Amino acid sequence: MENQDQVMSMPRIGDPAPEFRAVTTQGEINFPSDYIGKWAILFSHPADFTPVCTSEFMTFAHLEKQFNDANCELIGLSIDGLYSHIAWLRTIKEKIEYKGMKDIEVTFPLIEDIKMDVAKKYGMIQPNEDSTKAVRAVFFVDPRGIIRTIIYYPLSLGRNFDELYRVLIALQTADEFGIATPADWRPGDDVIIGPAGSCGTAKERMEDGDIDCKDWFFCTKKLDKDIVLDKILKKK
Ligand code: BEZ
C-alpha cells in the first residue's frame, strides 16, 4: 500500500519542489537547491534509445540556449542507468540527423533514476499508462523552488517545445508585470488585469483610456513585446 501511495504521489502547483539528490550525465545535482535564483524545467521521458524521446532530446538540446537566455535550466530524467544515458547521448551526437538537426550534444543533465526514487516523488510513474516507464512530465520550477506549472503527456505524444517556451515566458511575464495572460498569449499581445476588487476600481477601469474593458470584470491593456523580452532576457 505504501509503495502504491508513493507511485501515485504527485506534487501540485504552488508546492515546494520535492527535494532530491541525483547522479546525472553532468555529475551529481541537488534539486532544487542547486537551481535557486533560476527557473528550472524538470522533465521525464520514458526510455533511452526510443524514437519519440530522441526527437525530443534533440529538440530540447537545439533550443537550450533560448531557454538559458530566459534564465532557465533544463534537467531530464528517465528510468535508465547512467551508462545507458551516456551511450544514448553519444549515439545522438554521432549518428542521428533529424529535421535538419545533427551533431547535437546534450549538455544539460540527464538524471539516472533506475530505482524510480525521483520519478515516484514527482508522480512521473502513472501505472495505467506504464508501470516501469515515466510518462512525459514537465515541471516548471521558479527561482524560489516552487512548482508553477505541470504538464503531462502520454508515452506516444512528443511535446510541443514552442508551448514549453511560451509557458516559461508567460509565467515570468505574470510575475514581472503583475498581470495574467489570456488564451494563446504571446509576447506583444494584450495582457489581462486581475478582476477589480471593489466597485470604485471597477468604475475607474471602465473610464481609463489605457485600459480596454469588454465589461467591468474583463479588462486588458497593452504590454509591448520589447518591454517584456527586455525585462526577461536581461534578468539572467
Ligand atoms: C518513444 O520515445 O519513442 C517511446 C517510448 C516509450 C513508448 C512509446 C514510444
Side-chain angles (χ1 to χ4, degrees):
M1 190 62 196
E2 191 189 307
N3 196 30
Q4 187 65 8
D5 283 349
Q6 221 190 352
V7 168
M8 302 304 284
S9 87
M10 208 176 261
R12 290 165 296 197
I13 292 176
D15 289 353
E19 290 177 8
F20 63 83
R21 186 205 303 226
V23 171
T24 84
T25 48
Q26 301 292 323
E28 196 174 281
I29 61 166
N30 288 290
F31 193 84
S33 54
D34 289 348
Y35 293 85
I36 295 301
K38 290 173 183 281
W39 286 79
I41 296 180
L42 172 65
F43 67 99
S44 56
H45 69 100
D48 297 345
F49 293 103
T50 50
V52 179
C53 299
T54 300
S55 71
E56 290 190 314
F57 261 69
M58 292 182 76
T59 308
F60 235 160
H62 180 65
L63 296 174
E64 186 184 10
K65 184 173 180 315
Q66 191 182 325
F67 282 83
N68 292 165
D69 286 347
N71 192 30
C72 179
E73 300 291 323
L74 309 176
I75 307 136
L77 173 150
S78 77
I79 300 164
D80 290 289
L82 185 63
Y83 298 127
S84 165
H85 283 347
I86 293 171
W88 181 43
L89 300 186
R90 284 176 61 91
T91 304
I92 287 176
K93 176 156 169 53
E94 286 163 15
K95 298 198 179 140
I96 310 291
E97 184 169 347
Y98 174 68
K99 280 196 168 173
M101 295 181 282
K102 63 176 185 180
D103 196 26
I104 293 285
E105 186 158 7
V106 175
T107 54
F108 55 81
L110 174 50
I111 296 170
E112 83 155 355
D113 195 28
I114 205 85
K115 292 192 189 149
M116 306 191 198
D117 293 334
V118 180
K120 285 176 181 171
K121 270 191 177 178
Y122 276 80
M124 292 164 171
I125 304 294
Q126 304 202 356
N128 290 330
E129 175 73 345
D130 197 297
S131 57
T132 57
K133 292 182 176 65
V135 294
R136 300 181 199 280
V138 190
F139 288 83
F140 292 77
V141 178
D142 77 12
R144 299 166 304 145
I146 303 295
I147 295 173
R148 298 291 298 280
T149 297
I150 305 172
I151 308 178
Y152 286 102
Y153 298 72
L155 269 51
S156 63
L157 176 58
R159 285 162 270 220
N160 181 312
F161 290 84
D162 283 344
E163 171 63 0
L164 301 186
Y165 187 69
R166 191 190 76 89
V167 169
L168 177 70
I169 299 300
L171 288 168
Q172 295 191 26
T173 303
D175 286 0
E176 288 293 337
F177 297 95
I179 49 80
T181 49
D184 292 333
W185 178 85
R186 290 187 177 271
D189 293 347
D190 291 356
V191 294
I192 289 185
I193 309 170
S198 71
C199 294
T201 310
K203 183 169 180 294
E204 276 164 29
R205 283 194 186 166
M206 294 295 285
E207 290 165 1
D208 185 331
D210 291 335
I211 297 179
D212 175 21
C213 288
K214 327 298 172 202
D215 200 339
W216 68 270
F217 67 93
F218 184 0
C219 298
T220 61
K221 67 174 182 182
K222 303 230 165 294
L223 183 54
D224 195 74
K225 180 176 180 174
D226 292 339
I227 293 176
V228 170
L229 296 182
D230 269 11
K231 187 92 180 169
I232 287 167
L233 302 181
K234 281 198 181 132
K235 275 207 93 190
K236 244 191 358 158

